């Protein structure tokens, strides 16, 4: 049969209570037996009474010595059942010693001595009952011999009065056994409830501790997470002391993650977290903000000097090669550093300042730390204002879309147009597309921008069709992040349908990083291609190019970035690479377009390499839609006139 819940714990508690009560029990036994000896000796004069007292005291002494032995040997006390068994045996022997009093009086009980004996035996038994309310069997084995002997003595007397006393003694024994068992059962139930409550409280506390840990720590590296970082930053700022914030970004992590896999990437992050932690002092708060971005809060004075020294240490330790599963990897880190309250009055501003400094470090060539300064402050204030006003700019039509032509390199004819965003701010001046896109991402307005640009593209296509141009395409740019966070495909398809545009005239350009994010984007690209929308890979060669993945990505056109085109007439390696891409395009059935063509020499080299399409200032600059439509009308009119002449 299975043990009751918490059986061992309850038995251990019963033993502890019994051991604690035993000194009182032994002292009471000696006192009561001494008193009984005096009274019984005076009234009856039995010769055996002194010897009985010696036996009781001797038994008590032996039990006391046993208790001292258990107290001095914790190992003995841990054997709960053995100790309880010894206690039960001692109680039984003590009960037999007390039972000797009525047994030795069988047939000779006088009225007074009988009353004294009955009183003495009932009293010592009642005391045992009180002591045994937590452990019934020990009390029962003590008082049962005593009361049985007392009942037998009175019943053996043979008269009615003694018979009644004997019967009542048996009744008393029955009631005491019942009460002892009931009391012990209640104790066990109470202990079960107490232990269950403690276990529940412990479980809840443990669960809360785990939840608190998970809520505030990164599961991969064990560092604090972004939520804990924000809370700590706020708490330290509230104390009013100066602090420094270092934001760390691993330089080549994305390349490692893409080429070596996420398992290796995770091991790199764990090793990076370890190196950063070892470079820091215990007072410095370290967090992983997400991806390969970490942050450190430094608040001990002088925080500026300590932060700069720490940044140098982190750059140094992260610059050492990582050896992961036998593979040597060069990672490195860039750090942006900002101080409170020197560089920012609010937390969001402090983090933004450190982030701006981080990008400055990367722009300088990575593997270094950059301190936020006045020039960066100007850039930060500009970006904050752009972000604050981008919503109104979209709503009130303050953004403009211009179009740069894409040309057939052989004939020079316009075959398509790329949409480019412009914003002429009355105070900030010309705002670059990169600044606009950054503000849109920060404001989570990607879908609104996609809708705005797609409408402008479809308006141009509709106007071109009316002007007689029924073949040229118009392209818009969509970043992989927009596919993952918004609904650009749904928006594009709805607008194409609303403007009644042939889908094959609409082109979507995605940046090269899409190649490294096929899981989240591939299905959406296929959805566009399934209805006829063209897909182009933009800026190929500007990032970590992957020729291997090109075959698995759905697209129609590959746009080679300006970085490979610039000076191609004097760059033989670049020329060979582009020739390879052109050949690959013919095999995989995609078109290669060279963008950023700015000189006749570059155009001639591309023509010699067999490049079919080009885009760049040498052929046309970005112009408003009206200019493109006007030119299309002129071309249409000229074509019509030539047909009439012929």
């Amino acid at each position: 049969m299975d043990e009751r819940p918490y059986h061992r714990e309850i038995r251990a508690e019963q033993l502890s209570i019994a051991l604690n009560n035993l000194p009182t029990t032994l002292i009471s036994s000696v006192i009561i037996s001494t008193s009984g000896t005096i009274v019984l000796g005076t009234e009856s004069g039995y010769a055996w009474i002194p010897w009985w007292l010696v036996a009781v005291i001797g038994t008590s002494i032996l039990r006391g010595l046993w208790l001292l032995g258990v107290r001095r040997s914790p190992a003995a006390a841990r054997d709960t059942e053995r100790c309880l068994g010894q206690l039960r045996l001692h109680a039984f022997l003590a009960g037999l010693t007390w039972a000797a009093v009525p047994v030795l009086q069988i047939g000779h009980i006088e009225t007074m001595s009988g009353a004294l004996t009955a009183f003495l035996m009932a009293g010592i038994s009642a005391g045992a009952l009180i002591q045994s309310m937590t452990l019934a069997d020990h009390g029962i084995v003590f008082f049962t011999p005593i009361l049985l002997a007392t009942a037998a003595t009175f019943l053996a007397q043979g008269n009615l009065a003694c018979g009644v006393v004997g019967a009542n003694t048996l009744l008393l024994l029955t009631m005491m056994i019942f009460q002892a068992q009931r009391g012990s059962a209640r104790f066990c139930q109470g202990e079960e409830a107490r232990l269950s409550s403690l276990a529940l409280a412990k479980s809840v506390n443990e669960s809360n501790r785990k939840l608190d840990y998970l809520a505030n720590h990164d599961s991969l590296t064990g560092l604090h997470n972004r939520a804990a970082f924000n809370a700590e930053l706020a708490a330290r700022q509230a104390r009013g002391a100066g602090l420094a914030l270092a934001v760390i970004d691993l330089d080549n992590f994305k390349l490692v993650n893409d080429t070596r896999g996420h398992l290796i990437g995770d091991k790199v992050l764990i090793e990076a977290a370890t190196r950063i932690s070892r470079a820091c002092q215990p007072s410095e708060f370290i967090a992983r903000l997400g991806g390969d971005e970490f942050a450190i809060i430094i608040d001990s004075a002088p925080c500026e000097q300590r932060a700069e020294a720490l940044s140098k240490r982190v750059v140094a330790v992260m610059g050492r090669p990582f050896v992961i599963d036998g593979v040597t990897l060069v990672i490195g880190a860039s750090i942006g550093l900002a101080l409170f309250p020197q560089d920012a009055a609010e937390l969001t501003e402090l983090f933004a300042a450190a982030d701006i400094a981080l990008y400055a470090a990367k722009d300088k060539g990575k593997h270094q730390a950059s301190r936020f300064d006045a020039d960066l402050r100007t850039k930060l204030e500009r970006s904050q204002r752009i972000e604050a006003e981008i919503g109104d700019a979209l709503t009130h039509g303050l953004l403009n879309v211009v179009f740069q032509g894409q040309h057939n390199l052989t004939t020079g004819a316009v075959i398509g147009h790329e949409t480019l965003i412009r914003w002429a701010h009355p105070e900030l001046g010309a705002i670059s597309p990169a600044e606009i896109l950054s503000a849109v991402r920060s404001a989570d307005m990607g879908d609104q921008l996609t809708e705005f640009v797609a409408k402008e593209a479809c308006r141009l296509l509709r106007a071109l069709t009316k002007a007689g141009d029924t073949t040229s395409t118009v392209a818009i740019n969509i970043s992989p992040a927009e596919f993952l966070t918004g609904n650009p495909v749904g928006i594009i398809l709805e607008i194409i349908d609303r403007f009644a545009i042939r889908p094959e005239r609409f082109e979507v350009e995605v940046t090269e990083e899409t190649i490294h994010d096929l899981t989240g984007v591939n299905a959406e690209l296929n959805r566009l291609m399934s209805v006829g929308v063209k897909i182009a890979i933009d800026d190929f060669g500007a990032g970590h190019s992957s020729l291997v993945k090109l075959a698995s990505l759905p697209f129609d056109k590959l746009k080679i970035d300006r970085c490979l085109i610039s000076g191609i007439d004097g760059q033989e390696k670049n020329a060979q690479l582009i020739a390879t891409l052109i050949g690959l395009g013919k095999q995989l059935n995609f078109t290669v377009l060279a963008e950023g063509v700015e000189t006749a020499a570059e155009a001639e080299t591309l023509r010699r390499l067999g490049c079919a399409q080009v885009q760049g200032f040498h052929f046309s600059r970005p112009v408003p839609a009206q200019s493109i439509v006007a030119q299309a009308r002129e071309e249409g009119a000229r074509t019509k006139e030539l047909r009439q002449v012929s």
Side-chain angles (χ1 to χ4, degrees):
M1 182 180 296
D2 294 338
E3 293 181 348
R4 295 182 63 181
Y6 309 110
H7 173 78
R8 294 181 182 180
E9 292 84 352
I10 293 173
R11 295 292 281 174
E13 183 65 16
Q14 288 176 320
L15 174 61
S16 176
I17 294 173
L19 293 177
N20 290 333
N21 289 341
L22 188 56
T24 303
T25 299
L26 297 179
I27 293 171
S28 300
S29 179
V30 170
I31 293 174
I32 294 172
S33 62
T34 301
S35 302
T37 297
I38 294 172
V39 174
L40 286 174
T42 302
E43 293 295 328
S44 61
Y46 292 129
W48 50 264
I49 290 179
W51 297 105
W52 170 78
L53 177 62
V54 171
V56 172
I57 294 175
T59 302
S60 298
I61 291 173
L62 290 175
R63 296 175 74 187
L65 292 174
W66 175 85
L67 177 62
L68 288 175
V70 172
R71 294 293 192 200
R72 290 175 180 175
S73 176
R78 285 197 293 269
D79 192 347
T80 304
E81 293 302 327
R82 183 169 177 269
C83 285
L84 287 173
Q86 292 173 349
L87 272 174
R88 189 163 49 248
L89 177 61
H90 296 163
F92 179 67
L93 293 176
L96 291 177
T97 304
W98 279 88
V101 174
V103 169
L104 292 172
Q105 296 181 68
I106 292 178
H108 302 287
I109 281 187
E110 301 297 335
T111 303
M112 182 55 69
S113 65
L116 290 172
T117 297
F119 176 78
L120 185 62
M121 297 302 103
I124 195 68
S125 297
L129 173 64
I130 294 172
Q131 293 279 17
S132 65
M133 293 304 287
T134 60
L135 193 59
D137 51 350
H138 290 67
I140 291 172
V141 298
F142 175 78
F143 62 68
T144 295
I146 297 173
L147 294 180
L148 284 176
T150 302
T153 299
F154 278 94
L155 291 173
Q157 197 66 22
N159 58 60
L160 180 61
C162 288
V164 171
V165 173
N168 283 319
T169 302
L170 291 175
L171 177 62
L172 176 63
L173 172 61
T174 302
M175 294 176 61
M176 288 178 64
I177 291 174
F178 173 75
Q179 288 298 326
Q181 292 176 335
R182 187 178 181 185
S184 182
R186 286 179 175 174
F187 172 79
C188 291
Q189 291 173 355
E191 278 298 292
E192 284 181 8
R194 183 182 70 86
L195 292 170
S196 179
S197 298
L198 289 175
L200 178 60
K202 182 179 179 181
S203 175
V204 170
N205 288 336
E206 181 66 16
S207 297
N208 288 339
R209 187 190 67 79
K210 290 181 178 178
L211 289 173
D212 182 68
Y213 182 87
L214 292 174
N216 293 284
H217 289 79
D218 172 49
S219 59
L220 177 65
T221 64
L223 297 178
H224 295 285
N225 59 16
R226 184 179 287 273
F229 166 80
N230 290 336
E232 182 69 15
L233 198 61
R236 296 197 182 199
Q237 181 196 9
R239 293 201 291 267
L243 62 86
L245 172 62
V247 177
I248 306 167
D249 189 81
L250 306 189
D251 290 326
N252 298 318
F253 177 74
K254 180 172 174 53
L255 176 60
V256 171
N257 211 34
D258 291 338
T259 58
R260 299 289 181 177
H262 292 289
L263 181 61
I264 295 294
D266 286 348
K267 291 182 179 181
V268 168
L269 290 173
I270 293 170
E271 174 64 18
T274 301
R275 293 188 184 189
I276 293 171
S277 299
R278 288 174 179 171
C280 294
Q281 300 296 323
S283 62
E284 290 156 358
F285 189 90
I286 313 166
R288 180 190 175 204
L289 303 182
D292 60 337
E293 188 176 25
F294 300 83
I296 307 172
I297 303 173
I298 308 105
D299 72 345
S300 300
C303 64
E304 182 172 359
Q305 292 84 343
R306 291 190 61 216
E308 291 177 350
L310 172 61
S311 297
K312 292 178 181 178
R313 288 200 304 272
V314 172
V315 169
V317 298
M318 294 302 294
R320 296 200 297 265
F322 284 62
V323 181
I324 307 295
D325 292 348
V327 179
T328 301
L329 305 169
V330 179
I331 305 296
S334 298
I335 300 178
L337 191 61
L339 304 182
F340 174 83
Q342 296 95 315
D343 298 330
E346 300 293 337
L347 293 178
T348 53
E349 293 179 5
L350 180 65
F351 189 85
D355 215 32
I356 290 288
L358 171 63
Y359 283 110
K362 287 189 174 293
D363 288 341
K364 292 175 184 177
K366 303 181 180 180
H367 304 296
Q368 59 186 290
S370 177
R371 167 82 161 81
F372 187 77
D373 57 24
D375 290 339
L376 293 178
R377 179 183 299 281
T378 301
K379 184 177 179 181
L380 173 60
E381 292 172 349
R382 176 182 172 88
S383 66
Q384 288 176 334
R385 183 165 179 186
I386 293 172
E387 182 179 338
E389 297 182 17
I390 188 65
D392 286 341
L394 274 169
T395 303
H396 299 106
L398 301 180
L399 298 183
N400 295 314
V401 173
V402 294
F403 301 85
Q404 185 173 30
Q406 298 172 342
H407 299 259
N408 182 303
L409 184 54
T410 302
T411 65
V414 176
I415 57 173
H417 310 271
E418 179 184 0
T419 58
L420 302 171
I421 308 171
R422 297 289 186 265
W423 183 6
H425 195 283
E427 297 176 16
L428 299 179
I431 297 175
S432 69
E435 291 177 301
I436 295 172
L437 292 175
S438 176
V440 166
R441 281 194 295 269
S442 298
D444 193 23
M445 300 185 71
D447 281 352
Q448 291 92 319
L449 182 63
T450 297
E451 181 178 4
F452 170 71
V453 177
K455 285 180 178 179
E456 293 301 307
C458 286
R459 285 192 180 98
L460 174 59
L461 283 170
R462 189 166 61 182
L464 286 174
T465 301
K466 292 180 180 179
D469 180 354
T470 59
T471 60
S472 63
T473 61
V474 176
I476 71 170
N477 291 274
I478 304 292
S479 73
E482 291 178 67
F483 284 105
L484 299 175
T485 59
N487 182 34
V489 173
I491 293 170
I492 290 169
L493 294 180
E494 189 275 330
I495 292 173
I496 288 175
D497 184 65
R498 190 196 314 171
F499 281 81
I501 300 299
R502 297 205 320 271
E504 62 270 19
R505 298 191 65 189
F506 196 98
E507 191 171 276
V508 171
E509 295 185 2
V510 292
T511 55
E512 182 192 352
E513 61 185 299
T514 304
I515 297 176
H516 303 291
D517 194 17
L518 296 180
T519 302
V521 177
N522 215 349
E524 293 296 279
L525 296 182
N526 278 311
R527 184 181 167 197
L528 286 172
M529 292 189 72
S530 67
V531 299
V533 174
K534 303 296 184 182
I535 305 296
I537 303 299
D538 194 20
D539 300 333
F540 190 84
H544 304 304
S545 306
S546 178
L547 294 176
V548 175
K549 290 187 178 181
L550 281 178
S552 60
L553 188 68
F555 70 101
D556 303 282
K557 182 184 293 184
L558 185 71
K559 299 184 69 176
I560 302 175
D561 188 74
R562 166 70 182 161
C563 66
L564 294 179
I565 303 301
S566 179
I568 191 175
D569 48 304
Q571 299 285 338
E572 186 60 30
K573 288 185 178 180
N574 284 5
Q576 291 176 358
L577 175 58
I578 291 172
T580 300
L581 290 174
I582 292 169
L584 186 63
K586 293 177 181 178
Q587 293 179 17
L588 297 180
N589 196 31
F590 63 78
T591 301
V592 174
L593 181 147
E595 56 183 350
V597 181
E598 297 187 355
T599 67
E602 292 171 352
E604 180 57 34
T605 302
L606 289 168
R607 183 181 295 107
R608 178 173 52 82
L609 294 173
C611 184
Q613 298 180 8
V614 289
Q615 177 181 339
F617 288 172
H618 178 65
F619 295 92
S620 61
R621 290 182 174 272
V623 294
Q626 297 89 329
S627 299
I628 296 173
V629 174
Q631 184 178 359
R633 288 197 185 101
E634 291 177 6
E635 290 290 338
R638 195 160 40 244
T639 301
K640 184 177 180 180
E641 182 179 343
L642 289 173
R643 285 175 181 172
Q644 289 175 349
V645 170
S646 63

